[in-house]
Amino acid sequence: MKLIERYIFRRAATMFLATLLPLMGIVWTTQALTNVNLVTDSGQSIFAFLKLATLILPSVVPIILPFALVIGVAQTLSAMNTDSELTVLNAAGSSRMSIIRPVIYLAAGLSVLSFAIDNFVEPYSRVAVRRMIATAHADLLSAVVQENAFRKITDGLYVQVGARRSGGVLQGIFVADSRNPNFELVYYAREGAVDEESSALVMKDGEVHRKLPDGGVSVIKFDSYAFDLTDMTKAVGEANIRAKDRDLFYLLNPDPNDPAYKRAPLAFTAELHKRFTEWTYPLLFALMALVVSSDARSHREARVHPMISALGAALVIRWMTFYAANSAEDSIWFVPLMYFVPLAAGAFAIHQLASNRRLDIPTTWREKLSELTTRFRFMRPAGADGEQA
């Protein structure tokens, strides 16, 4: 690359990273916090939470990477236009390709990275996350037997154990069950134990209080009672693997006996075509940013800020492809739309750049904007000019 191309490449890459890292931090923190209750309620350690949060990262990067790029490119070229650098390049006889080429190099590299993450890294991390969640559910029995810990097993079900003795004997068992809206159950037991085979909490020498909505309470004493926990626990490794969790090779040739494939075969088809289109978004969004911000413009020229135009176009394209991908899970006729939207947008952007055309505001809009600006100037206080003088 030429010196000016390296300069533009370095500035665009720096602005891209400055945009990507904060966005990734915000989205990653939001996604990680949604699973903090699962980790804490099942008695997992802080290291398990950090591992789970790290595995979420590959699913976050491909989503925000194209938007960080379009913001970085548009902001870089807008700043160069404000500093008259684009005007100087144009006056010096430099072609528009000297501006386009470094941005395309950056976008192409990010598209390759997005393809690798989408098809190989993200499926592995998704499967690992689902297995961790399944393991956390399986560890709920371990959470039950922790001493002096008031644990939420699931919504409306709480368990507390006073002490744990040798031989797996539990003392001072308290269970509050309000999952049924028609009545509430409270169990007290002097002692008990966990039956690993049947996934049940066996309580001895206790009583159960049943409270009805009208305020009535019935008390039943028992010598032995088995509280079933099967619905709240799952065997380790019984993760629900879906189409999004499969790698590219599996999607190309799915197992016909896969239960998930039998339930929703179109979901695998939609996911396959999604993998073939989503990796191009960094390149597509970079082209859109170049269309609106790669030409030198006068500061007095009426136009929408390039970043707003580029980001708005990127959001519209992303929404249309997202809608097509989701609809393709129910109807195969939406699959062509998944290709048409990025191809049409890319063809339009390439045509604009190849023909060296400027994306201007329509004349009628420009006149209305100019009229509004003039009215705003005349609406200033009468003494404003005198005060400034």
Side-chain angles (χ1 to χ4, degrees), residues 53-76:
T54 303
L55 290 172
I56 293 175
L57 270 178
S59 62
V60 172
V61 174
I63 298 175
I64 63 176
L65 189 147
F67 291 101
L69 178 62
V70 73
I71 293 174
V73 172
Q75 178 61 28
T76 297

Side-chain angles (χ1 to χ4, degrees), residues 70-294:
V70 73
I71 293 174
V73 172
Q75 178 61 28
T76 297
L77 297 181
S78 297
M80 292 182 65
N81 184 64
T82 302
D83 297 338
S84 300
E85 291 175 303
L86 296 184
T87 304
V88 172
L89 289 175
N90 190 26
S94 178
S95 67
R96 201 176 182 184
M97 284 302 299
S98 61
I99 302 173
I100 297 174
R101 192 178 294 114
V103 174
I104 295 299
Y105 288 158
L106 176 61
L110 294 177
S111 293
V112 174
L113 177 63
S114 180
F115 180 84
I117 295 176
D118 263 337
N119 292 282
F120 304 105
V121 180
E122 184 181 352
Y124 167 79
S125 66
R126 281 182 173 272
V127 172
V129 168
R130 293 193 181 279
R131 288 178 176 170
M132 281 194 67
I133 293 175
T135 303
H137 281 289
D139 289 342
L140 287 177
L141 286 178
S142 299
V144 170
V145 300
Q146 291 185 5
E147 298 182 18
N148 297 320
F150 194 74
R151 292 287 182 177
K152 177 183 178 182
I153 305 302
T154 187
D155 291 338
L157 180 61
Y158 299 86
V159 177
Q160 182 183 24
V161 175
R164 181 178 180 179
R165 305 305 181 190
S166 60
V169 177
L170 309 176
Q171 291 185 338
I173 301 174
F174 170 82
V175 178
D177 185 1
S178 59
R179 291 171 296 172
N180 193 325
N182 296 323
F183 55 84
E184 297 180 9
L185 297 173
V186 178
Y187 300 85
Y188 301 93
R190 186 181 300 276
E191 64 179 20
V194 174
D195 187 349
E196 299 288 349
E197 295 182 0
S198 60
S199 297
L201 177 62
V202 180
M203 296 180 285
K204 298 180 179 180
D205 190 12
E207 58 185 31
V208 53
H209 294 199
R210 178 174 178 175
K211 182 180 179 181
L212 300 176
D214 59 3
V217 178
S218 61
V219 180
I220 302 175
K221 294 186 178 182
F222 58 82
D223 293 330
S224 179
Y225 183 87
F227 189 86
D228 190 12
L229 295 173
T230 305
D231 294 338
M232 281 73 71
T233 58
K234 300 178 182 178
V236 177
E238 289 185 0
N240 183 21
I241 308 300
R242 300 182 296 179
K244 293 182 180 180
D245 308 323
R246 299 296 186 178
D247 57 27
L248 180 61
F249 301 111
Y250 189 92
L251 293 175
L252 290 171
N253 186 25
D255 184 4
N257 297 321
D258 187 348
Y261 181 75
K262 289 181 178 180
R263 288 193 304 269
L266 285 181
F268 284 76
T269 303
E271 182 64 24
L272 175 63
H273 293 287
K274 185 179 177 182
R275 301 283 181 87
F276 285 151
T277 56
E278 281 199 342
W279 69 275
T280 62
Y281 291 160
L283 185 59
L284 177 61
F285 288 5
L287 289 173
M288 300 304 298
L290 286 169
V291 167
V292 300
S293 61
S294 63

Side-chain angles (χ1 to χ4, degrees), residues 330-389:
D330 301 319
S331 175
I332 194 68
W333 297 106
F334 283 91
V335 171
L337 185 60
M338 298 172 62
Y339 292 92
F340 174 77
V341 172
L343 286 176
F348 169 77
I350 292 174
H351 176 265
Q352 291 290 116
L353 294 173
S355 59
N356 201 25
R357 294 185 178 182
R358 300 172 60 175
L359 194 63
D360 293 323
I361 301 176
T363 304
T364 56
W365 294 5
R366 188 186 307 169
E367 292 176 353
K368 291 181 179 180
L369 184 61
S370 177
E371 183 181 353
L372 289 175
T373 304
T374 303
R375 288 182 179 180
F376 178 76
R377 290 176 179 175
F378 281 108
M379 288 174 60
R380 291 185 305 173
D385 294 337
E387 292 176 0
Q388 291 178 358

Side-chain angles (χ1 to χ4, degrees), residues 5-27:
E5 293 178 358
R6 291 198 300 269
Y7 171 74
I8 296 175
F9 181 90
R10 184 173 63 254
R11 287 194 61 173
T14 302
M15 184 60 64
F16 161 73
L17 291 176
T19 307
L20 176 68
L21 295 180
L23 288 177
M24 186 170 62
I26 294 172
V27 177

